[in-house]
Amino acid sequence: PHGVRVSRREGPDRWHVDVQVAVRRGHRALDVARAVTTAVGAAVAGSVPPSVRVTVTHLV
């Protein structure tokens, strides 16, 4: 399954964002994962930076 899960933890990395995506053939999975990580960081700008994990689950 693809999607986004956000959870709150104890400790310095209080927020954890887990993103699962499908990548279109012809695109590098690493580049897509980095772009998603950057986008998540920008989306929560102004708060404590979250811990972000991006998983590429499929190539389509």
Side-chain angles (χ1 to χ4, degrees), residues 1-32:
H2 312 296
V4 178
R5 292 185 185 179
V6 179
S7 58
R8 189 173 174 146
R9 300 179 178 179
E10 297 296 324
D13 291 335
R14 295 186 82 115
W15 291 101
H16 177 75
V17 181
D18 183 19
V19 182
Q20 296 179 353
V21 297
V23 174
R24 188 172 216 164
R25 292 192 191 278
H27 296 273
R28 288 185 35 178
L30 179 59
D31 293 339
V32 172

Side-chain angles (χ1 to χ4, degrees), residues 39-57:
V40 169
V44 295
S47 63
V48 176
S51 164
V52 179
R53 178 176 58 194
V54 178
T55 304
V56 176
T57 59

